[in-house]
Structure formats: structure tokens, C-alpha cells
Amino acid sequence: MEQGPIGIFDSGYGGLTVLREIVKVLPHHDFLYLGDNARTPYGNRSFKTIYEYTLESVKYLLNEGCPLIILACNTASAKALRTIQQRDLPGLAPDRRVLGVIRPTAEVIGQYSQTGHVGVLGTSGTVNSESYLLEIKKQSPELKVFQQACPMWVPLVENGEHDSEGADYFVEKYLRELFSQSEKIDTLLLACTHYPLLIKKIMTRIPAGITVLNQGEIVAPSLEDYLNRHPEISDFCLKNHQLRFLTTDETENFNKKAKAFFGQSILSEFVHL
Ligand code: DGL
């Protein structure tokens, strides 16, 4: 295996909220971001479709020489990761790794809760897959997990409406539905790449004292820890501070919208998978 950048995959712009945190923790590493904007959103698609789309992107990043690929997308992590790890990767590139965002989050969520009641907000795909229920149960069986699908949040963010009054209705609706399941929830996980953009609205509509977890801030130190424990992978990760951004749709649009997710302007390149 030759050295290459760490691949970061998402269905669109959203994974930039995760990459933004990863770059803070690993500023010297090279990253190759791939957003499948042409086919986003994944959140309400079938298992089969999400798996096929994600596998195509993973193959693309493997061909670009990535020794490690992070599925920054919760929906892809929930619906495609396991099959790719177990069925595809051994035949495609057995010495490389593909990791997701659900397991590292499930590993730490219990540390934040006093009441043992945690809330998970995600796309319909993530919620219906029950991946968080399963993974959190493995790590912290004593926790009670309450899930809420928020299908309107991604479209609101994608259309730049996250700060608008129009978003208030749906932010309140899904939070009300979550908290009606348990009033004891004291830890709220934003289990979707887009939700950090709604954090201001969320914070003002939940009871005081609730911890809201931004997933990028969990995934970034977990990746650093993984690289420290796995020299067989980290030795093959380039460290020239290079960032490249690829999109399967129009670059102009990507460049314009990406700043809200990444916090700084970027220039993307078009790729056809
Ligand atoms: N990236 C997706 C996630 O984290 C949200 C956008 C989509 O539905 O594709 O679940």
C-alpha cells in the first residue's frame, strides 16, 4: 500500500461539519472529501440504494489511494458500513479500513448522562435502522435510548433556512415529539451531519441543563485515538496539510453552500463516480 489521504465520505455537504472538527485535531493530515451531492439526500432512501451509492463512493476513494475512509454520514454508517466492512472490503482492499460515526459515538454517550435517558435525533433512515439502539446497548446496556426522526431538518438546512423563522415549527415539532417519550432525557445526540447548523435553535427550545452532543467533536478525538492505536494504517496516511474536496454535482453550488458547514471557503472539483 502507498501513502494517501484519509477519505471522508458524505451524501453531500453535511460531512464537512465532521471534517471541520477532525482537521482541528489532526491539522497535519491530508484529507480527501467526497460529497455525493448529485444523489443527496440519502436519509429517506432504501437500504439497497444507500448501500449501492455508498459502495460506489468507497470504491472511488480507494482508487484515489485512501488507506482509511470515514463514512461521516450517519445514514450511510447505519445502512451500508457493516456490509462494506464484512463483504466488500476484504475482496477490494483487505489492508485498508472503512469506519463510521455511530460506534465512536455509542462508545462515549453514556459518559454524559446522569439520568440514563438519552435522545437521538437523526434522519428516518438512521432511526429506522435502529443502529444507535443496537450500538449503545452493546456499550452501555443500562442506558434508555429514545429516538426521533427529523425528516424536515436536512431539507431546511440544505435550502439555507436553518436560521429562518420558518425552521422554528419543525425544530419545535421534533423536539416536542422526542421529549414526549421521556421527560428525563438529559443528553441529546445530533446524529446527523446537518444538525449542528440548527444548534442555536435547538438550544433555546430544550430544558436547561441538557447536554447537546455535536458528533464531529466526538468523532475527531476518536479518530486520533484510532490512528495512535493502528500504526499499520496511520503510517500510510499522508501528512502534508492538504485538503481536497470532490463533489458529484456542480462545483459552484458546492463552493457557495460549503462555507456554512465547514466554516471557511473552499474550492471543490467535480467527479463522476
Ligand atoms: N449526511 C446525512 C446523515 O448524516 C444527512 C443528509 C442525508 O440525508 O443525506 O444522516
Side-chain angles (χ1 to χ4, degrees):
M1 174 163 57
E2 289 188 13
Q3 284 195 316
I6 296 176
I8 306 286
F9 168 70
D10 184 57
S11 56
Y13 315 104
L16 292 169
T17 61
V18 178
L19 179 59
R20 179 182 184 160
E21 301 303 328
I22 291 177
V23 169
K24 288 183 196 162
V25 172
L26 299 170
H28 303 298
H29 280 71
D30 290 18
F31 294 97
L32 181 59
Y33 183 91
L34 173 59
D36 189 10
N37 295 81
R39 302 188 290 197
T40 201
Y42 282 14
N44 42 16
R45 295 191 193 277
S46 69
F47 256 97
K48 187 172 169 290
T49 303
I50 294 167
Y51 162 67
E52 283 169 6
Y53 287 178
T54 306
L55 181 60
E56 270 181 29
S57 297
V58 164
K59 283 183 179 168
Y60 187 91
L61 289 168
L62 289 173
N63 278 336
E64 289 293 304
C66 297
L68 172 64
I69 297 167
I70 309 294
L71 304 186
C73 178
N74 279 274
T75 311
S77 296
K79 294 198 161 193
L81 178 65
R82 189 174 296 247
T83 314
I84 289 174
Q85 284 175 330
Q86 293 178 356
R87 206 172 68 189
D88 301 299
L89 201 60
L92 288 169
D95 48 354
R96 322 242 202 124
R97 293 291 172 268
V98 181
L99 304 174
V101 289
I102 296 179
R103 179 133 178 233
T105 312
E107 277 171 1
V108 300
I109 194 166
Q111 297 167 12
Y112 296 91
S113 180
Q114 305 294 320
T115 61
H117 285 218
V118 301
V120 175
L121 300 164
T123 64
S124 303
T126 298
V127 166
N128 293 339
S129 75
E130 301 196 344
S131 297
Y132 275 99
L133 299 184
L134 295 169
E135 282 299 327
I136 295 174
K137 196 171 180 186
K138 274 192 227 158
Q139 308 293 333
S140 308
E142 73 288 357
L143 284 186
K144 287 201 163 38
V145 184
F146 301 89
Q147 300 194 102
Q148 179 61 46
C150 313
M152 287 305 289
W153 284 8
V154 166
L156 284 167
V157 173
E158 288 270 328
N159 287 291
E161 295 288 340
H162 44 282
D163 285 327
S164 76
E165 274 177 34
D168 293 352
Y169 174 81
F170 284 106
V171 171
E172 280 161 21
K173 174 180 161 64
Y174 298 139
L175 289 173
R176 196 171 51 242
E177 286 172 13
L178 176 69
F179 283 96
S180 73
Q181 298 179 52
S182 165
E183 287 178 357
K184 283 165 64 185
I185 292 170
D186 67 348
T187 305
L188 203 55
L189 172 66
L190 306 185
C192 173
T193 51
H194 286 56
Y195 298 174
L197 278 80
L198 288 163
I199 201 159
K200 271 194 266 162
K201 281 196 191 291
I202 293 170
M203 293 300 284
T204 57
R205 285 167 178 82
I206 55 175
I210 291 182
T211 306
V212 179
L213 300 177
N214 174 358
Q215 207 170 23
E217 291 172 11
I218 293 173
V219 171
S222 159
L223 175 58
E224 184 184 32
D225 179 54
Y226 177 88
L227 292 171
N228 289 337
R229 288 184 291 109
H230 292 277
E232 78 283 6
I233 297 294
S234 62
D235 287 352
F236 292 96
C237 296
L238 283 168
K239 297 172 192 75
N240 300 317
H241 326 254
Q242 302 264 339
L243 291 176
R244 270 181 75 206
F245 300 90
L246 311 177
T247 173
T248 56
D249 205 350
E250 237 183 23
T251 54
E252 215 174 298
N253 208 18
F254 188 92
N255 299 347
K256 208 171 350 148
K257 288 200 177 166
K259 193 171 177 195
F261 294 84
F262 196 56
Q264 51 180 282
S265 300
I266 60 174
L267 284 180
S268 59
E269 300 160 45
F270 171 77
V271 290
H272 187 73
L273 297 182

